[in-house]
Amino acid sequence: MRTKVNGIEVAYTDEGEGKGLPLVFVHGFPLNRGTWSKQVGAFKATNRVIAPDLRGLGESEATGGPVSMSRFAEDLYALLQHLDTGPVILAGHSMGGYVALAFAKAFPQALRGLVLVGTKAGPDTPEAAAARRATAEKVRAKGVSVVVDAMAPKMLSSGNTDAAMAQSVRDFMTGSNPEGVVGALLGMAERPDAGAWLDKIQVPTLVIAGADDTIIPPSEAEALTKAIPNTQLKLIFDAGHLVAFEQFGAFNEALRDWLAWAAFDPRRGMCDA
Ligand code: MLT
């Protein structure tokens, strides 16, 4: 599906219904909403499931210049307003987690639960930011294959020999607009430290990490779990960075268990999940 919000054409998936709260899934970099296909299929019988392509990635329109995590969050809020979802449970993977944290800060009233997957709160080091800017220059010169070739081999666990899955991972990346990829790189390079306000997060939170993630190691998930009140941590084995796709069975079970746990305890402020 497509619609125009916040001045850009956004592509998104919107499937399912049920008495549960809407589940919104935000993909990482330089990926697209296809990375959540296993969750859309699994949860659409019980929940409305929404997964957008972020500005400039997947099939969504690109704009010039850096795209801040706040800008991505504003796009998301505008989409949810347009879709009249009411408050949601928001899941973000990696860069999608940076967006989810920006959303939690800016739009707490729109949130009932948070799921942070293979992500972290801290900003780029000066070296990491400089490397991103250098990569952005290379993408401008040579195209998106620069980041696809660098990142695709790191998305799954090193022991994973599933060639079809590896090809799917490349496919999630290759369609993105070079301008969008550059915008996200520059936006990540300048993103603020979200660590200072993690203790203000009011909603139940689930933190999930792949045990073999080498892009954002599980120690970051442990740090998030310590800093955010009312949080559960789930480490998933035989999974790398793209844990929700690689080990979707274990991931979906963890998400379903947490939804049930949060829903059944009224003190946790969540119901009908
Ligand atoms: C992602 O998967 O979104 C990226 O690896 C995040 C990052 O580069 O910081």
Side-chain angles (χ1 to χ4, degrees), residues 167-200:
Q167 184 57 48
S168 296
V169 170
R170 290 187 75 86
D171 294 345
F172 295 144
M173 301 178 171
T174 45
S176 287
N177 186 314
E179 196 176 25
V181 169
V182 167
L185 280 166
L186 299 179
M188 282 194 284
E190 65 183 35
R191 74 185 189 284
D193 184 1
W197 48 272
L198 292 179
D199 64 344
K200 308 278 186 313

Side-chain angles (χ1 to χ4, degrees), residues 18 24 35 61 73 86-87 103 106 132 136 143 168 182 195 203 213 226 238 258:
V24 179
T35 54
E61 191 179 342
F103 186 99
R132 285 206 209 268
S168 296
V182 167
V203 294
D213 189 343
K226 283 192 189 126
D238 300 318
W258 173 77

Side-chain angles (χ1 to χ4, degrees), residues 27-31 93-96 98 118 120 124 132 151 155 188 191 215-216 241:
H27 64 79
F29 172 89
L31 298 153
H93 169 247
S94 199
M95 185 182 80
Y98 312 157
K120 62 185 175 185
D124 278 3
R132 285 206 209 268
M151 293 196 71
M155 284 284 162
M188 282 194 284
R191 74 185 189 284
I215 294 181
I216 298 184
H241 191 53

Side-chain angles (χ1 to χ4, degrees), residues 91-92 121 146 162 176 248:
V146 170
D162 185 335
S176 287
F248 58 88

Side-chain angles (χ1 to χ4, degrees), residues 2-252:
R2 310 182 79 87
T3 188
K4 191 150 187 169
V5 288
N6 235 10
I8 55 158
E9 182 105 348
V10 172
Y12 63 98
T13 299
D14 180 4
E15 289 188 32
E17 52 189 313
K19 68 180 185 63
L21 284 162
L23 289 172
V24 179
F25 292 98
V26 182
H27 64 79
F29 172 89
L31 298 153
N32 70 17
R33 69 191 195 276
T35 54
W36 296 112
S37 55
K38 306 291 188 186
Q39 285 66 49
V40 175
F43 287 92
K44 67 183 182 183
T46 49
N47 299 71
R48 185 177 182 187
V49 185
I50 295 164
D53 280 343
L54 293 173
R55 178 183 292 248
L57 298 171
E59 299 176 311
S60 287
E61 191 179 342
T63 46
V67 184
S68 66
M69 301 304 108
S70 302
R71 168 57 66 89
F72 283 133
E74 285 158 11
D75 290 346
L76 181 61
Y77 183 69
L79 178 65
L80 298 182
Q81 294 281 101
H82 172 76
L83 297 177
D84 197 20
T85 59
V88 302
I89 296 167
L90 179 59
H93 169 247
S94 199
M95 185 182 80
Y98 312 157
V99 175
L101 288 172
F103 186 99
K105 186 177 186 200
F107 308 109
Q109 75 285 359
L111 210 55
R112 288 291 177 276
L114 198 55
V115 183
L116 299 171
V117 186
T119 194
K120 62 185 175 185
D124 278 3
T125 61
E127 297 75 26
R132 285 206 209 268
R133 293 190 180 105
T135 304
E137 283 310 312
K138 285 189 198 148
V139 172
R140 278 197 184 106
K142 297 185 179 162
V144 169
S145 62
V146 170
V147 285
V148 177
D149 291 343
M151 293 196 71
K154 299 187 203 158
M155 284 284 162
L156 303 175
S157 58
S158 57
N160 190 323
T161 56
D162 185 335
M165 188 179 280
Q167 184 57 48
S168 296
V169 170
R170 290 187 75 86
D171 294 345
F172 295 144
M173 301 178 171
T174 45
S176 287
N177 186 314
E179 196 176 25
V181 169
V182 167
L185 280 166
L186 299 179
M188 282 194 284
E190 65 183 35
R191 74 185 189 284
D193 184 1
W197 48 272
L198 292 179
D199 64 344
K200 308 278 186 313
I201 293 176
Q202 299 284 328
V203 294
T205 299
L206 173 63
V207 178
I208 300 186
D212 303 331
D213 189 343
T214 54
I215 294 181
I216 298 184
S219 56
E220 295 285 357
E222 283 162 23
L224 283 170
T225 308
K226 283 192 189 126
I228 303 175
N230 194 11
T231 298
Q232 285 191 9
L233 172 64
K234 180 75 185 176
L235 192 63
I236 295 187
F237 293 97
D238 300 318
H241 191 53
L242 202 53
V243 48
F245 189 70
E246 185 173 14
Q247 292 296 344
F248 58 88
F251 180 96
N252 291 347

